[in-house]
Amino acid sequence: MNDADLDALIPGLIKKARDAREKAYCPYSNFKVGAALLCEDGSIFTGCNVENASYGLCMCAERVSIANAVSAGHRQFTALILVCDVPYFIGSCGMCRQVMAEFGFDWYLVMTTPGINNDWKKVTIKELLPYGFGPISLDDSKGQKENIQSNE
Ligand SMILES: [Zn+2]
């Protein structure tokens, strides 16, 4: 999908993310977050944050949307739209950035601001997680191990 086609879809995806945000389960933080994940084939999966009394088990909206997509058989993503109430552009937490990087560095996170203006800004996962570690890092390290062993 080219940039112009993606940009044209973003307002509708923001609406889906806002609808998902309304389903957030966040009795501890009261910080509602919604996500809408556009897959390469055009499928859309949403997510909201799901908190837990055992705080470390809280799940972010981004990861919930990715889990929804993967569990339906999707692994190729185009953009993840993120909505929350922070009045400026803000990216995902570090854990979510790493989970996004599992599925490549050349797709987009779309940050938004609240309100009716539909202001948004898209960044690649590579921009979101510079020098990021991903599946290819494991492959690349295997080659290095062989080089080290052959030098011994
Ligand atoms: Zn997160």
Side-chain angles (χ1 to χ4, degrees):
M1 176 178 298
N2 67 40
D3 264 17
D5 288 343
L6 173 58
D7 291 356
L9 292 176
I10 287 175
L13 291 164
I14 291 173
K15 168 120 182 36
K16 287 185 184 299
R18 285 192 175 143
D19 290 346
R21 180 186 165 281
E22 290 308 309
K23 299 183 177 77
Y25 175 73
C26 52
Y28 308 106
S29 72
N30 290 312
F31 185 78
K32 290 183 174 182
V33 184
L37 176 61
L38 175 66
C39 301
E40 276 190 2
D41 72 347
S43 304
I44 298 164
F45 293 86
T46 60
C48 62
N49 51 329
V50 182
E51 295 186 346
N52 193 282
S54 176
Y55 288 5
L57 300 181
C58 293
M59 295 182 285
C60 299
E62 299 94 306
R63 281 180 285 131
V64 170
S65 70
I66 289 171
N68 280 338
V70 171
S71 61
H74 299 271
R75 297 178 183 172
Q76 308 292 323
F77 306 138
T78 300
L80 192 155
I81 285 70
L82 175 62
V83 301
C84 64
D85 283 334
V86 177
Y88 47 83
F89 295 129
I90 188 167
S92 302
C93 79
M95 187 181 284
C96 286
R97 292 175 195 215
Q98 186 65 50
V99 170
M100 292 173 197
E102 181 68 20
F103 300 97
F105 288 91
D106 296 324
W107 56 289
Y108 292 103
L109 175 75
V110 179
M111 302 175 286
T112 64
T113 57
I116 59 171
N117 293 334
N118 276 345
D119 286 340
W120 55 266
K121 176 183 176 68
K122 68 182 197 278
V123 294
T124 64
I125 305 308
K126 189 178 182 74
E127 291 171 310
L128 196 65
L129 189 65
Y131 302 100
F133 176 83
I136 195 166
S137 309
L138 293 174
D139 292 340
D140 291 346
S141 80
K142 286 174 190 156
Q144 291 304 311
K145 282 182 201 160
E146 288 161 11
N147 287 340
I148 291 166
Q149 287 167 351
S150 67
N151 289 337
E152 288 175 347

